[in-house]
Amino acid sequence: MSPNYDVVILGCGEAGIFAAYELTHLHPGLKVLALDQGQDIYHRSCPIVAGKVKECIHCPVCHTMCGFGGAGAFSDGKFNFTTQFGGWLTDFIEPKEVMDLIDYVDSINVAHGATTQCFSTATPEAKALERRALAYDLHLLQARCKHLGTENNLRILTNIYEGLRDKLEFRFNTEVTHIAQADGGYRLTTASGEEISCRYLIAAPGRSGAEWFSNQCKELGLELLNNQVDIGVRVELPASVFEHITDVVYESKLVYRTKQYGDQVRTFCMNPYGHVVAENVEGINTVNGHSYADPALRSENTNFALLVSNRFTKPFNEPYRYGKHVASLSNMLAGGVLVQRFGDLVGGRRTNEHRMSKSFVRPTLTAAVPGDLSLTLPKRQLDNIIEMIYQLDKIAPGTANYDTLLYGAEVKFYSARLQLSAELETALPGFFAAGDGAGVTRGLAQAGASGVQAARAVVRRMG
Ligand SMILES: Cc1cc2nc3c(=O)[nH]c(=O)nc-3n(C[C@H](O)[C@H](O)[C@H](O)COP(=O)(O)OP(=O)(O)OC[C@H]3O[C@@H](n4cnc5c(N)ncnc54)[C@H](O)[C@@H]3O)c2cc1C
């Protein structure tokens, strides 16, 4: 029996979208289906953001993470031109080639309305900042960065969707439950029991589909490597504390090795004048942040994550489950995201409603419940975070203020990493994997690049 489709793209996040774009542009005659368990770009609406509920009601499919645009749709779109962070594509592809792919993804974004303005790393101010940080053993990883802005990001995605929708078939609200090899290709089973076959499969299920995808890969006999899990908090403080840094390098990644444990802690996802948000990862509430490009939509605060990377060695092989357990403790105590003032944390006091009402820093995530992070985060991670906050205070005085807010838990899950070729093909011929779900990326730029790489390989095979 001939397959229904030449190519099926599983997941319409950044990786899936750019795979779809490349396939339809290089080979317009291909029969391509792109599937997602979430909604199209017009019908994604989180009930909290829509003001219908105050707390996460654990929708069966999370509108924030799933649907056209994937996890990045409501992000503020910090697009980093680097191979230093945001993924591990250079483990498979030459660095120069990865950079070319990132530039290519950017050019498509620009063609759909993205800004051409970049934050440069080559300015004397950026160099001076790097030197100053180094004096305190803080290592500033810099990358040319674009800030697309939450509102613009959605507009760009909408433009891309409109450009693609008559060039391939999209199916939303369609969860794939099973992947099997069949007749020289692959057969996907959906939650409604439908069977779809294809010659080539590009799987890009992102973080939201990571656990399920790992299990599918194991069933198919594919080898997976353990990836790390990053656990920490989201810090929120007055924007003026970090202004001298965020005005110079929008997305500053400061890395520090703690004296107490020798562990690496890093700042991540810096959101000047931004908003802290809750995120639902497979039923667990974690925390994240974003910021708007439009000054009218800004807050008075800056937020960023402080993350401790945890790599586990044999026999433990479930970092994903470990991260979920840690995050679920804050959910158990707070019913969702927990928030604590830094001064209360180091003073061994729980932050309660009364203490929070006295805080000079007003939380932008009002649904967060005041509590005690020391009851939820493992001691090692918490000690590392406290040491990092004091270190950051040396280059950004005010970071260790009493009223600096810490939201928990922020957990960054990275999917188990698949063994892939330079074309991002698994050990099974014609089965390609891209993006965060394959454990090879963790950011928009490299996720998009991986989708393009897989699509080009498919087109080469199709002749
Ligand atoms: C709040 C937030 C802010 C972020 N901000 C930034 C930022 O500023 N800069 C940056 O570089 N990165 C950012 N990121 C990370 C970035 O969004 C991801 O790296 C990127 O989206 C990964 O793309 P992807 O295509 O691999 O996966 P995703 O975007 O997660 O897309 C995967 C898609 O697959 C679908 N799917 C999964 N399983 C199935 C299944 N079984 N059946 C059908 N469909 C399925 C999901 O519904 C989803 O739509 C942010 C992430 C979040 C959550």
Side-chain angles (χ1 to χ4, degrees), residues 7-81:
V7 193
V8 167
I9 299 169
L10 195 171
C12 295
E14 189 82 354
I17 291 172
F18 282 92
Y21 181 91
E22 196 63 359
L23 282 174
T24 53
H25 279 74
L26 290 183
H27 204 318
L30 284 182
K31 202 170 169 205
V32 181
L33 170 68
L35 295 165
D36 203 290
Q37 61 190 348
Q39 301 271 12
D40 69 24
I41 192 72
Y42 297 110
H43 296 93
R44 290 182 64 172
S45 166
C46 168
I48 302 179
V49 179
K52 291 182 188 157
V53 293
K54 282 222 158 80
E55 287 168 15
C56 178
I57 51 167
H58 302 287
C59 302
V61 175
C62 173
H63 284 269
T64 306
M65 298 292 287
C66 303
F68 190 90
F74 301 104
S75 83
D76 59 339
K78 285 181 285 293
F79 192 92
N80 294 308
F81 297 77

Side-chain angles (χ1 to χ4, degrees), residues 192-211:
S192 65
E194 189 188 354
E195 295 202 331
I196 298 164
S197 60
C198 58
R199 227 169 119 191
Y200 294 100
L201 172 63
I202 300 179
R207 263 185 269 156
S208 53
E211 208 171 358

Side-chain angles (χ1 to χ4, degrees), residues 293-451:
D294 181 353
L297 300 171
R298 289 175 172 179
S299 79
E300 292 175 348
N301 297 345
T302 283
N303 69 72
F304 57 89
L306 278 186
L307 298 174
V308 185
S309 296
N310 302 266
R311 275 187 190 280
F312 297 97
T313 46
K314 281 181 181 168
F316 184 68
N317 64 357
E318 293 182 290
Y320 201 89
R321 277 189 60 206
Y322 174 81
K324 273 176 102 171
H325 275 289
V326 171
S328 65
L329 274 176
S330 348
N331 289 195
M332 185 196 284
L333 290 183
V337 174
L338 194 152
V339 60
Q340 186 170 27
R341 296 187 301 176
F342 182 63
D344 288 335
L345 174 69
V346 291
R349 268 183 303 277
R350 185 196 150 196
T351 300
N352 54 25
E353 295 285 353
H354 174 67
R355 291 184 181 130
M356 186 55 113
S357 66
K358 292 185 179 167
S359 173
F360 284 109
V361 184
R362 304 308 309 156
T364 50
L365 178 61
T366 50
V369 175
D372 189 347
L373 283 168
S374 68
L375 297 177
T376 67
L377 288 174
K379 179 177 183 326
R380 185 174 182 133
Q381 276 98 339
L382 202 58
D383 288 349
N384 281 328
I385 285 163
I386 291 172
E387 190 180 326
M388 175 66 157
I389 288 177
Y390 283 124
Q391 205 64 14
L392 286 174
D393 195 67
K394 294 175 185 162
I395 59 161
T399 308
N401 276 358
Y402 201 104
D403 285 348
T404 290
L405 301 179
L406 307 180
Y407 297 83
E410 177 135 351
V411 183
K412 294 288 174 236
F413 304 100
Y414 306 113
S415 326
R417 196 178 309 176
L418 271 168
Q419 305 268 41
L420 299 174
S421 71
E423 289 185 312
L424 304 183
E425 189 176 25
T426 67
L428 294 174
F431 180 172
F432 296 81
D436 291 16
V440 296
T441 70
R442 56 174 180 188
L444 296 171
Q446 290 204 38
S450 69

Side-chain angles (χ1 to χ4, degrees), residues 254-316:
L254 290 150
V255 185
Y256 174 68
R257 198 174 51 243
T258 60
K259 302 288 175 279
Q260 195 176 359
Y261 300 100
D263 290 343
Q264 264 198 10
V265 191
R266 65 194 165 99
T267 64
F268 178 77
C269 187
M270 184 77 60
N271 293 299
Y273 316 98
H275 296 264
V276 177
V277 291
E279 163 181 304
N280 181 340
V281 181
E282 292 174 17
I284 308 281
N285 269 327
T286 59
V287 64
N288 214 315
H290 69 106
S291 57
Y292 294 97
D294 181 353
L297 300 171
R298 289 175 172 179
S299 79
E300 292 175 348
N301 297 345
T302 283
N303 69 72
F304 57 89
L306 278 186
L307 298 174
V308 185
S309 296
N310 302 266
R311 275 187 190 280
F312 297 97
T313 46
K314 281 181 181 168
F316 184 68

